[in-house]
Amino acid sequence: MLRYVLNRVALGLVSLLLLSMMIFVAAQVLPGNPGRIVLGREATPNAVEQFNHALGVDRPLPVRYADWLSDAVRGDFGANYTDGRAVTDDLVPALQRSLFLAVYAFILCIPISILAGVIAALRRGRPTDRAITVTGLSLAVIPEFVLGAILVTLLGPAFLNWFPGIAGALIDASFVTKVDSLFMPALALALVLFGYIARMARAGTMEALDADFTRTATLKGLKQRQVMVRHVLRNGLLPTIAVISTQVGYLFGGIVAIEKLFGYPGIGFLTVTSAQIKNFPMLLACVLVIGVIYFVATLAGDLLTAALNPRVRLARQS
Amino acid sequence: MRYPNEEIENYRRGAGELENELIDEYRAGTLTRKELIQRGSVLGMSIPLLGLLGGTAERAFAAPMAVGQRGGRIRIGTASIDASLEPPLLQTLAAISVTQISGEQLVYADKNAVLRPRLATSWKPSRGGRSWTFQIRRGVRFHDGKPMTADDVVATFRRLLGPDSQAQSSYKGVIDSVRKVGPNAVRFDLEAPNGLFPYLTGQMTYQSIILPRSYKMPTDLSKPGEFTSKMNGTGPFRLKENRGPGGISWEANPTYWGGRPALDEVDMQILDDQARVTALQSGQIDLAVQVTYEGARQLQRAGKKVLPIRVANHRYLNMNVTKEPFNDVRVRQAIALALDRPGLARGLWGQYAEVGNDSPMWPGYPYTAKVPQRKRDLERARALLRAAGKENLKVTLTCYRGFEMADYAQRVSQALRQIGIDCDVKVFTSVQYFDGVSFGANGKLAPWLATDFGIVDYGGRPVPTTYLNAGLKSGGVWNSARYKSKAFDRILANFIGAPDLAGQRKYAKQLQTQLLKDTPVIYAYFYNFIAATGANVRGYVPGGMADINLRGVTIR
């Protein structure tokens, strides 16, 4: 198991390295000259050149990458092109905001998705099953920002006025205000995940329902409730729980569009904004941090799956 | 107490030729009261005196700020700050809106283009408008506690006259030198007489925020610029915290020269166009700095206060007069004749726009003359193209994604199809469109200037000098039409140097006629700057350049 973990960590680090190279190169080839962006269109070429020299962007690409990487691994992502403030000054609070939103989305999503999956499995082939499956599939294929826009239109100030239309930075806001303001973005993210988690829960539950141990438990006279709780759910939901952890990475992908839509300055908002205004240091830092989150979440999911499923663990060991 | 006439006659004895001419013009009935106040404010005549001349007492603007209900925090929504906040480097609307909260210029042009004293208490022309002397306000302190002096004013303008300044569109070819001529006096010597010069020291040159002479332009990106981190200006609010994308907050400056502001705090959030509208609708912000036409309609339906301000905001649609097919004036005129201006204005901005007539002389300027309005005439347009032998043209129209510009470009493209021109539309992002240098600088020309047929936006300025000097004069830094006309340049010099309104009117008419004839640029419509507030905000008047003026604003 340790070897497996070490292998995965090594592979993950290589993936992150490749990711960082790709985004670094991509950021350099995008049109836009940092000196020109900062000093403006009237600045003389000489001033722009001096500025770029001070910044080091006139050095060879590999040298710049090596410098950036050595700083980045120490947590120093440089300074914003636009205002010279340290990237980490904005990145850390943004990451905290995004994590809050992600946790909120999971809290909304997981109980409902699992419950829907179990109900669908219990009513296999009936209209309830079909309704849950079709709804889940439909929600899974609609992009987060479309769902977000629909929610704003329906639940926001223009129609029902149940929730605030945007989230904003929520500086010094109370917990209740945060929960209220972030309900719609969290719901938009949760709805996309609903279909996938519900389907996993349905499949796992059905497999457990068909299993010999369930038949044995029923034949030995246990009540249906006991069979469900002690045997079906305990066995059927284990893979679902493992799968959920792999969805953290997916969730952070969806957060990019949702945060922008709801004006919530988390890491997704920062990614889009910095790409729009060519604030490369921030863009690189955001993409790398999202990459790390994705890697850690996927690794955790795989480890959990392996830990919960001896067949996977043993197959990997062999 | 003196009688009004005695007061006026006393003033006339000490006044210059230009001021006396203005009073005579008003008394002869050739000026309206509004024009008298507007023009008099440019010449540095005090508002109370102008009120006396006009027959009513005007409130002195520079007196301590109007105070309604005191206290409270105003929450403002503005666009992403996409460029430097350092005043000499200012170039984008979001950055402008932020900096004007802590910073101030010498003068301020109000919504009626009347100049109000700010860091200058008065100003006077000499040498026929070739020199202007400003008296600098005493007792003003920067937010760090140091006094603001004439030396700081001189240092600020010398910095802006440097080669890397973003204020070239205002000052290139205008200011020759600036120097201190007394303990509290600063004199600008100009390259040519300029009757509208004081406006260029106000918010229309948003870079001209007065900074301490010790201020240094940023040279090292690893550190925030001085203004970004401290916002050490003289304005009514001083920086509390700059949280970057998390917003910016300010607190009232208790030692503000105009009196402590009514508001205690200002909190600014970074929100996209639609997010600002939704946030205001939800009551999450109190003021949206600027909203789109669609946003304004949505907010109106929701019962919010929509505040349109009639200004000279416009879209400049250039045609490169040096290059095929636009080097033929008949092609340019045909394109201009294909557009349905009232339809464009109504379709893109509803009641918040007025029809343009292919010159930047906005109908709201007192000197803009009535010349025949160019109207859609498809038959004539087709005939012009036939005469030019350009019947099956293919052109590409560029613009960037911002407000209604892409929609405008599509409508132009559809209109041109009706006269047989196949027009593609290419939409850039704003960063792509402005990535490059202006005319006169060495380096890659920015796409918005390099384009042969393109649309760009110009913010509302109280006088058209930037539109004319930068956008149309031969060699102008923003002259993407590459328009070069000795006749136009001569009329322009006369217009800017005209000492009185009669002269300005005469030359404005000539400018308008010349531009209609040459048609290097299409000015199809002028649109309002639209801000919006909640019902709890009182006294807010939007600025045409997205500048946020919170003096006298109260919140319930």
Side-chain angles (χ1 to χ4, degrees):
Chain A
M1 188 68 180
L2 182 65
R3 211 170 121 203
Y4 170 69
V5 173
L6 289 174
N7 268 341
R8 282 302 312 269
V9 171
L11 268 175
L13 289 175
V14 171
S15 306
L16 284 175
L17 197 66
L18 286 172
L19 174 71
S20 71
M21 280 180 191
M22 278 161 54
I23 51 173
F24 194 85
V25 172
Q28 308 308 313
V29 297
L30 284 172
N33 175 336
R36 181 62 61 198
I37 291 170
V38 176
L39 296 177
R41 51 184 174 248
E42 317 296 352
T44 57
N46 194 30
V48 171
E49 211 173 282
Q50 278 178 11
F51 200 93
N52 285 342
H53 181 70
L55 197 65
V57 295
D58 54 352
R59 292 173 305 152
L61 192 68
V63 177
R64 273 184 283 152
Y65 175 71
D67 272 4
W68 175 78
L69 191 65
S70 74
D71 288 341
V73 292
R74 283 178 280 148
D76 177 6
F77 291 103
N80 288 318
Y81 279 175
T82 44
D83 59 13
R85 300 167 70 250
V87 162
T88 43
D89 285 359
D90 297 338
L91 191 67
V92 173
L95 187 59
Q96 287 168 346
R97 287 190 196 106
S98 293
L99 287 173
F100 186 91
L101 178 60
V103 170
Y104 191 2
F106 271 121
I107 290 172
L108 286 181
C109 171
I110 292 169
I112 296 169
S113 309
I114 291 179
L115 188 66
V118 171
I119 291 170
L122 290 173
R123 311 219 173 246
R124 192 186 317 184
R126 293 189 200 168
T128 319
D129 176 26
R130 286 198 202 102
I132 290 170
T133 310
V134 171
T135 307
L137 276 172
S138 309
L139 290 172
V141 297
I142 302 175
E144 293 86 347
F145 65 90
V146 176
L147 276 175
I150 294 170
L151 288 175
V152 172
T153 311
L154 283 178
L155 309 181
F159 190 52
L160 292 172
N161 201 15
W162 288 352
F163 295 97
I166 64 140
L170 298 169
I171 305 292
D172 301 330
S174 67
F175 182 75
V176 174
T177 308
K178 281 184 184 171
V179 167
D180 184 43
S181 301
L182 289 173
F183 178 76
M184 284 203 288
L187 185 62
L189 290 167
L191 288 175
V192 175
L193 291 178
F194 169 82
Y196 189 62
I197 295 175
R199 248 182 327 139
M200 288 305 297
R202 177 181 178 271
T205 309
M206 286 199 311
E207 200 182 323
L209 282 169
D210 293 342
D212 292 341
F213 59 80
T214 305
R215 199 175 307 125
T216 308
T218 310
L219 290 175
K220 77 178 182 188
L222 286 180
K223 289 178 185 168
Q224 197 187 356
R225 184 187 160 83
Q226 286 173 318
V227 174
M228 279 304 294
V229 174
R230 286 190 200 163
H231 298 279
V232 176
L233 294 182
R234 188 172 287 179
N235 289 286
L237 294 184
L238 287 178
T240 309
I241 292 163
V243 159
I244 287 168
S245 59
T246 63
Q247 294 304 300
V248 175
Y250 179 81
L251 189 79
F252 265 81
I255 255 176
V256 171
I258 281 294
E259 287 185 348
K260 189 70 179 160
L261 181 69
F262 286 93
Y264 184 57
I267 198 159
F269 181 95
L270 248 58
T271 307
V272 179
T273 311
S274 48
Q276 281 172 341
I277 62 174
K278 295 200 175 149
N279 184 7
F280 296 142
M282 179 60 86
L283 178 65
L284 291 168
C286 288
V287 176
L288 199 65
V289 167
I290 290 176
V292 170
I293 291 169
Y294 197 93
F295 160 64
V296 172
T298 314
L299 178 65
D302 284 357
L303 293 178
L304 204 56
T305 308
L308 295 173
N309 191 338
R311 280 174 294 185
V312 175
R313 191 169 64 240
L314 292 172
R316 278 170 179 163
Q317 279 170 353
S318 68
Chain B
M1 184 189 157
R2 287 177 177 164
Y3 290 102
N5 275 340
E6 189 189 345
E7 190 88 55
I8 292 164
E9 290 313 314
N10 194 38
Y11 170 79
R12 293 192 70 154
R13 276 194 288 279
E17 194 184 336
L18 298 179
E19 292 91 325
N20 276 310
E21 268 179 28
L22 183 79
I23 296 170
D24 289 339
E25 273 187 86
Y26 179 66
R27 288 194 167 160
T30 54
L31 290 182
T32 64
R33 188 174 156 273
K34 187 181 167 189
E35 287 163 352
L36 166 80
I37 293 172
Q38 204 175 71
R39 182 72 199 148
S41 72
V42 180
L43 296 174
M45 294 164 74
S46 75
I47 301 296
L49 176 79
L50 289 166
L52 213 59
L53 279 165
T56 57
E58 283 280 331
R59 183 170 60 92
F61 185 80
M65 285 188 286
V67 174
Q69 186 177 336
R70 283 206 160 270
R73 179 175 65 129
I74 191 165
R75 299 160 303 164
I76 301 174
T78 194
S80 284
I81 299 161
D82 49 359
S84 177
L85 290 177
E86 298 302 309
L89 302 178
L90 282 178
Q91 47 185 334
T92 64
L93 284 182
I96 294 166
S97 68
V98 169
T99 50
Q100 313 297 311
I101 292 178
S102 287
E104 292 182 304
Q105 284 91 358
L106 290 181
V107 301
Y108 181 80
D110 73 8
K111 64 175 181 174
N112 297 315
V114 174
L115 282 177
R116 309 289 188 170
R118 276 272 164 91
L119 293 180
T121 51
S122 63
W123 46 95
K124 245 182 185 338
S126 56
R127 298 199 302 148
R130 210 181 170 113
S131 294
W132 287 83
T133 304
F134 287 71
Q135 294 299 321
I136 307 303
R137 190 178 293 281
R138 280 181 280 190
V140 178
R141 288 187 178 274
F142 287 105
H143 295 169
D144 65 1
K146 293 194 177 122
M148 190 274 305
T149 65
D151 292 318
D152 297 311
V153 175
V154 170
T156 296
F157 280 91
R158 286 193 177 153
R159 202 179 292 121
L160 292 175
L161 294 175
D164 297 323
S165 153
Q166 295 301 302
Q168 304 257 13
S169 56
S170 281
Y171 299 150
K172 190 184 175 193
V174 175
I175 300 179
D176 182 47
S177 63
V178 54
R179 63 199 159 101
K180 186 174 160 184
V181 289
N184 295 297
V186 171
R187 177 166 143 170
F188 294 86
D189 289 319
L190 310 183
E191 295 194 2
N194 192 326
L196 301 168
F197 176 72
Y199 285 104
L200 301 184
T201 65
Q203 81 273 26
M204 72 174 272
T205 311
Y206 31 82
Q207 298 92 350
S208 64
I209 287 173
I210 303 301
L211 298 172
R213 78 200 126 184
S214 60
Y215 172 85
K216 292 270 182 299
M217 298 263 271
T219 51
D220 181 0
L221 260 187
S222 63
K223 296 184 192 90
E226 266 186 67
F227 198 82
T228 306
S229 53
K230 293 179 188 142
M231 297 200 185
N232 188 20
T234 56
F237 295 93
R238 58 188 188 194
L239 181 69
K240 195 172 162 195
E241 191 184 3
N242 181 353
R243 298 181 297 271
I248 305 176
S249 50
W250 290 263
E251 60 190 1
N253 173 8
T255 58
Y256 182 55
W257 60 266
R260 187 192 157 90
L263 295 165
D264 286 338
E265 276 186 71
V266 179
D267 191 24
M268 183 175 274
Q269 294 187 40
I270 309 300
L271 298 167
D272 282 348
D273 292 348
Q274 183 52 41
R276 283 200 294 281
V277 172
T278 313
L280 186 59
Q281 216 175 337
S282 307
Q284 290 164 287
I285 58 171
D286 308 302
L287 162 65
V289 175
Q290 190 177 14
V291 295
T292 59
Y293 169 48
E294 285 306 321
R297 284 172 34 159
Q298 193 179 327
L299 289 168
Q300 237 162 10
R301 284 196 295 269
K304 300 291 174 185
K305 282 202 273 188
V306 173
L307 306 170
I309 179 162
R310 190 174 168 241
V311 287
N313 275 331
H314 62 264
R315 308 302 184 200
Y316 171 107
L317 197 167
N318 77 288
M319 292 172 277
N320 182 349
V321 301
T322 64
K323 216 167 161 189
E324 283 272 359
F326 308 110
N327 57 352
D328 190 324
V329 68
R330 291 169 295 188
V331 173
R332 303 198 298 270
Q333 287 174 344
I335 290 172
L337 285 166
L339 303 186
D340 168 21
R341 286 167 175 70
L344 283 169
R346 206 172 40 247
L348 296 168
W349 286 97
Q351 72 270 40
Y352 304 116
E354 49 201 312
V355 170
N357 198 18
D358 294 345
S359 96
M361 303 307 284
W362 169 53
Y365 293 137
Y367 23 76
T368 299
K370 283 208 183 333
V371 294
Q373 172 66 46
R374 179 169 268 159
K375 290 180 181 159
R376 180 167 63 166
D377 187 342
L378 297 179
E379 274 315 304
R380 211 174 131 222
R382 288 189 196 109
L384 282 165
L385 288 177
R386 263 198 309 278
K390 305 271 170 57
E391 282 172 280
N392 293 305
L393 281 179
K394 190 168 169 46
V395 295
T396 301
L397 177 62
T398 63
C399 69
Y400 76 92
R401 195 169 300 286
F403 276 68
E404 88 299 353
M405 269 179 285
D407 194 3
Y408 175 38
Q410 289 297 346
R411 286 171 192 241
V412 171
S413 168
Q414 283 160 17
L416 295 190
R417 281 205 177 93
Q418 293 182 291
I419 56 166
I421 297 179
D422 183 4
C423 178
D424 283 339
V425 172
K426 190 174 175 189
V427 183
F428 291 75
T429 65
S430 67
V431 173
Q432 286 172 330
Y433 211 43
F434 295 101
D435 180 21
V437 301
S438 300
F439 289 104
N442 291 323
K444 185 186 79 103
L445 205 57
W448 75 280
L449 293 168
T451 182
D452 292 331
F453 191 40
I455 298 170
V456 77
D457 52 332
Y458 275 69
R461 289 167 165 90
V463 289
T465 47
T466 306
Y467 310 145
L468 297 163
N469 270 329
L472 289 162
K473 191 178 161 186
S474 305
V477 291
W478 295 345
N479 184 353
S480 53
R482 284 82 161 173
Y483 180 52
K484 199 171 178 179
S485 160
K486 280 182 185 162
F488 175 85
D489 292 350
R490 193 176 53 248
I491 306 167
L492 175 58
N494 288 335
F495 169 74
I496 290 175
D500 54 24
L501 196 58
Q504 287 172 345
R505 277 181 179 149
K506 177 182 153 194
Y507 296 117
K509 186 170 188 175
Q510 290 178 17
L511 283 175
Q512 290 169 258
T513 310
Q514 186 74 32
L515 287 174
L516 269 173
K517 183 174 143 248
D518 294 344
T519 318
V521 176
I522 292 173
Y523 299 85
Y525 54 93
F526 295 91
Y527 63 96
N528 296 180
F529 185 96
I530 314 174
T533 69
N536 55 342
V537 177
R538 294 276 168 86
Y540 182 69
V541 179
M545 293 297 300
D547 46 300
I548 301 171
N549 181 14
L550 295 172
R551 294 161 187 80
V553 173
T554 59
I555 193 158
R556 272 184 293 136

